[in-house]
Amino acid sequence: MFNKVLRNFYNRGALEVAKELIGKYLVVNIDNTYIAGRITEIEAYRGDNDKACHAYPLKKTKRTEIMFKEGGFAYVYLIYGMYYCFNIVVEEENSPCAVLIRGVDIVLGKEEASRLRYGKGLGELSKYQVKNFSDGPGKLCKAMGIDKNFNALDMLGDKIFVADKIEGIENIAIPIKTSKRIGIDYAEEAKDFLWRFYV
């Protein structure tokens, strides 16, 4: 059913991986129910020269140690004490880089995702709720059931992974846009890096 992305995809440059993840599918398996979202927005972070990165300057802490693994592991953290953010570790071991998934379009398991996101079924949602379903890092984590328990999971496992194809779902080729990353005004020159990719 799923054509899963393999390790060598992640063990490449953060910007390259970030761009190529646009249009692929983030998939979670919750009690044998799959929820999948087409990735629509992503940001790259590098630990060597990027002051917006948690691991800058190559700083290993209990929080960031997962970023020092080889590519293809989940990095999940909490912001504002209430919202989870989901990242995928990329590049080679000891090169702490990650890509933050900022938005997805749910294409599989949307009824289950609606109950996780809003506590009610799709038919009960307002137009505003439908529009704001999964177009932000905290929103997509809630809709896909992603929390701290996903931190450090292998993206080659069955709990969470990326697929470049899903049986029965048509791939869509959309031009990718580039911009500055969001919410990192503190990061000095790094705030101007054009490391956000979206459709």
Side-chain angles (χ1 to χ4, degrees):
M1 182 177 182
F2 302 103
N3 189 22
K4 194 182 295 185
V5 168
L6 302 178
R7 183 82 64 204
N8 58 359
F9 175 86
Y10 301 111
N11 283 339
R12 299 177 299 145
L15 298 179
E16 185 180 8
V17 175
K19 286 179 194 173
E20 291 185 23
L21 278 168
I22 293 288
K24 288 183 169 42
Y25 304 93
L26 179 64
V27 184
V28 297
N29 178 1
I30 301 173
D31 299 324
N32 293 317
T33 297
Y34 288 101
I35 300 174
R38 183 184 287 114
I39 298 170
T40 57
E41 183 182 356
I42 198 165
E43 292 176 346
Y45 291 86
R46 294 185 49 88
D48 54 355
N49 66 346
D50 176 12
K51 292 175 183 174
C53 181
H54 292 166
Y56 175 83
L58 303 178
K59 184 179 179 182
K60 185 184 282 191
T61 64
K62 187 172 182 180
R63 181 193 197 189
T64 65
E65 62 184 352
I66 186 61
M67 293 181 69
F68 287 79
K69 294 195 78 158
E70 64 179 326
F73 286 86
Y75 171 39
V76 181
Y77 59 86
L78 195 65
I79 57 170
Y80 311 128
M82 57 193 302
Y83 301 115
Y84 288 103
C85 290
F86 173 76
N87 304 254
I88 303 172
V89 174
V90 297
E91 300 206 8
E92 299 291 339
E93 189 173 5
N94 293 319
S95 176
C97 302
V99 293
L100 167 67
I101 311 297
R102 286 195 55 89
V104 301
D105 179 19
I106 303 294
V107 297
L108 185 69
K110 195 157 188 176
E111 183 69 31
E112 178 66 19
S114 178
R115 297 194 180 281
L116 287 167
R117 174 83 169 94
Y118 295 113
K120 53 188 176 181
L122 274 175
E124 303 172 82
L125 301 185
S126 67
K127 288 182 180 178
Y128 178 84
Q129 288 173 321
V130 171
K131 183 181 178 184
N132 291 275
F133 200 97
S134 53
D135 60 341
K139 297 175 191 178
L140 77 88
C141 282
K142 193 160 187 185
M144 300 188 77
I146 297 171
D147 59 20
K148 197 70 174 178
N149 293 317
F150 283 75
N151 188 53
L153 288 184
D154 191 339
M155 296 293 296
L156 273 65
D158 293 323
K159 182 73 174 173
I160 186 165
F161 54 89
V162 170
D164 55 17
K165 289 180 184 175
I166 299 178
E167 187 179 324
I169 295 176
E170 183 182 0
N171 283 12
I172 301 173
I174 305 174
I176 297 172
K177 299 179 181 180
T178 304
S179 77
K180 297 178 184 179
R181 294 170 295 178
I182 295 170
I184 56 162
D185 290 342
Y186 59 86
E188 299 180 7
E189 72 281 354
K191 70 181 171 52
D192 294 320
F193 294 171
L194 300 177
W195 288 4
R196 173 177 172 250
F197 308 99
Y198 64 101
V199 293

